[in-house]
Amino acid sequence: MDYIVLDLEWNQSECTLNDMPADGLPFEIVEIGAVKLNENREYIDEFHQVIAPHVYSHMHHITGTLTSITMEELQTGQPFIPVCKNFLNWCGNDFIFCTWGLSDVTELQRNMHYYNIPLFSYPVYYYDLQKIFSLIYEDGKIRRSLDYVVNFFNIPVSDEFHRAIYDARYTAEIFYRLNINTVKTYYSIDTYQLPAARKNEIYAVYDNEKYNSYSKYISRGFESKTLVMSDKNVVSTPCYRCGRKLKKKIHWFSCNSRVYYCLSYCPEHGFMKGKIRIKKHDGGLFFATRILKLTNEEGASKIYERQAEIRKKRREKRHALKV
């Protein structure tokens, strides 16, 4: 199996009359850069192509500032369809993407869908090296910029950042310096394609004594947020260590109908905190990603405090409305 270290640059609408956001394509890919490594992370080849714009005819000011790409340069590129097909042929039949962040695989598939190019087989696994760096060297939550980590590893800086091929090269250099077993343990799952039915829903366990341990669940699509939170699979809290169905100390609660929290208890492994994030898919359906993570008494206390704070704010709001 090969590793495809992928980086994309994309443009978006400036919301002018000539460049309103396109339905189904908020971000138009304008550059693809990738480095191919073998299973030993040895360099094989690289791919780079600028793409001529089809949807947005003006360069968004942030994109232009970050990437130094001009519309004049893009006009020398090729259309997305032949570029993407050449890129996928170049990738081969047995590979996994490695990216810096969680957006590239989603945006690649969104652009493919827009142009009716067949999507990857579901589910799409990849390695988010930005997340994995944080798990190994920091708290697992903070997300560092690519240039920060390049400096962290003292990687020589010979080319500008925010150009696809250069960022792909830098990301490949970082990848080579990360523990491969940890990388493989903490794979990511892209959610551009949702599970088609209950039987296709995703259950993943990331259990590592040295780094963060947790489980992740990705639901199928639902017509409403209410239906999401009414589904027994979504709101269940099984212990990912022993498989017990746990009783909740604090049932799911939220302050904004998008993010929910709960607290359960396992007789063998202790407290487990839960977090559900509800998102709306491009197709209009709502889906949930649920993270369950074992915690200590201090972590459990924070859930109690969060619930109490939300209840207090709601009481104050109701009181203000009465006054």
Side-chain angles (χ1 to χ4, degrees):
M1 182 190 69
D2 294 328
Y3 300 104
I4 304 298
V5 185
L6 173 67
D7 188 84
L8 304 174
E9 303 297 340
W10 52 73
N11 190 26
Q12 64 191 86
S13 168
E14 284 275 20
C15 290
T16 64
L17 291 177
N18 294 327
D19 258 353
M20 294 301 290
D23 185 26
L25 194 68
F27 305 106
E28 179 179 23
I29 295 173
V30 295
E31 187 178 32
I32 297 177
V35 175
K36 182 185 290 187
L37 308 175
N38 65 18
E39 60 184 5
N40 297 317
R41 292 185 285 181
E42 298 168 333
Y43 177 90
I44 298 176
D45 195 9
E46 61 184 44
F47 181 98
H48 176 233
Q49 182 64 59
V50 171
I51 298 170
H54 172 73
V55 177
Y56 300 118
S57 58
H58 295 82
M59 181 66 70
H60 191 278
H61 66 280
I62 295 177
T63 304
T65 301
L66 283 177
T67 67
S68 75
I69 299 175
T70 65
M71 294 305 293
E72 290 74 19
E73 181 183 358
L74 294 183
Q75 295 300 336
T76 67
Q78 299 178 29
F80 178 80
I81 292 177
V83 171
C84 186
K85 289 182 176 179
N86 288 338
F87 171 65
L88 296 177
N89 288 332
W90 175 84
C91 288
N93 297 319
D94 188 16
F95 68 90
I96 187 167
F97 286 125
C98 303
T99 65
W100 193 257
L102 49 74
S103 300
D104 288 282
V105 178
T106 294
E107 296 309 325
L108 177 60
Q109 291 192 96
R110 180 176 281 128
N111 277 250
M112 290 168 63
H113 179 72
Y114 184 84
Y115 287 103
N116 296 312
I117 297 173
L119 300 180
F120 304 112
S121 298
Y122 176 84
V124 179
Y125 297 98
Y126 68 101
Y127 298 129
D128 177 356
L129 302 182
Q130 185 185 48
K131 177 188 75 174
I132 293 169
F133 173 83
S134 182
L135 287 167
I136 296 175
Y137 293 99
E138 297 184 314
D139 63 358
K141 297 179 181 179
I142 192 170
R143 296 293 184 263
R144 296 294 187 181
S145 65
L146 184 64
D147 58 326
Y148 176 95
V149 181
V150 165
N151 291 328
F152 177 90
F153 285 121
N154 294 315
I155 296 170
V157 178
S158 56
D159 297 298
E160 62 183 307
F161 291 95
H162 303 297
R163 288 303 300 256
I165 189 59
Y166 300 147
D167 284 1
R169 290 171 183 169
Y170 288 131
T171 304
E173 290 287 346
I174 293 170
F175 180 33
Y176 186 76
R177 290 161 171 79
L178 299 177
N179 181 283
I180 191 61
N181 292 324
T182 305
V183 171
K184 290 182 177 180
T185 297
Y186 288 99
Y187 60 89
S188 293
I189 307 164
D190 185 68
T191 56
Y192 182 72
Q193 299 182 66
L194 293 182
R198 186 185 295 274
K199 64 180 181 180
N200 305 118
E201 292 178 328
I202 299 293
Y203 298 85
V205 175
Y206 305 89
D207 201 357
N208 186 307
E209 293 293 340
K210 187 176 181 181
Y211 307 113
N212 287 1
S213 296
Y214 60 94
S215 69
K216 185 173 185 177
Y217 159 83
I218 302 173
S219 80
R220 66 195 188 281
F222 296 84
E223 293 290 339
S224 68
K225 295 178 184 178
T226 301
L227 289 175
V228 174
M229 293 305 297
S230 299
D231 186 80
K232 63 179 182 180
N233 279 15
V234 173
V235 299
S236 64
T237 55
C239 177
Y240 54 87
R241 287 264 170 86
C242 63
R244 283 188 177 92
K245 293 183 179 180
L246 306 182
K247 291 185 177 181
K248 295 180 181 64
K249 294 287 186 178
I250 300 178
H251 287 272
W252 293 103
F253 66 93
S254 176
C255 62
N256 58 19
S257 77
R258 295 188 304 273
V259 181
Y260 293 78
Y261 304 92
C262 81
L263 183 68
S264 300
Y265 185 79
C266 176
E268 183 176 353
H269 298 105
F271 289 107
M272 187 174 70
K273 58 183 180 180
K275 181 178 181 179
I276 289 176
R277 185 180 298 275
I278 300 178
K279 298 180 181 180
K280 190 173 185 179
H281 189 259
D282 282 8
L285 297 177
F286 295 90
F287 71 100
T289 57
R290 184 194 67 211
I291 301 293
L292 301 177
K293 184 177 181 181
L294 291 167
T295 188
N296 54 23
E297 290 189 3
E298 180 182 358
S301 296
K302 290 181 179 179
I303 300 296
Y304 279 104
E305 291 169 4
R306 186 189 297 269
Q307 184 190 48
E309 181 181 354
I310 290 173
R311 286 177 171 175
K312 179 182 177 182
K313 288 182 178 179
R314 286 176 176 170
R315 286 196 300 269
E316 291 173 347
K317 186 177 181 179
R318 287 195 297 268
H319 178 73
L321 291 173
K322 290 180 180 178
V323 174

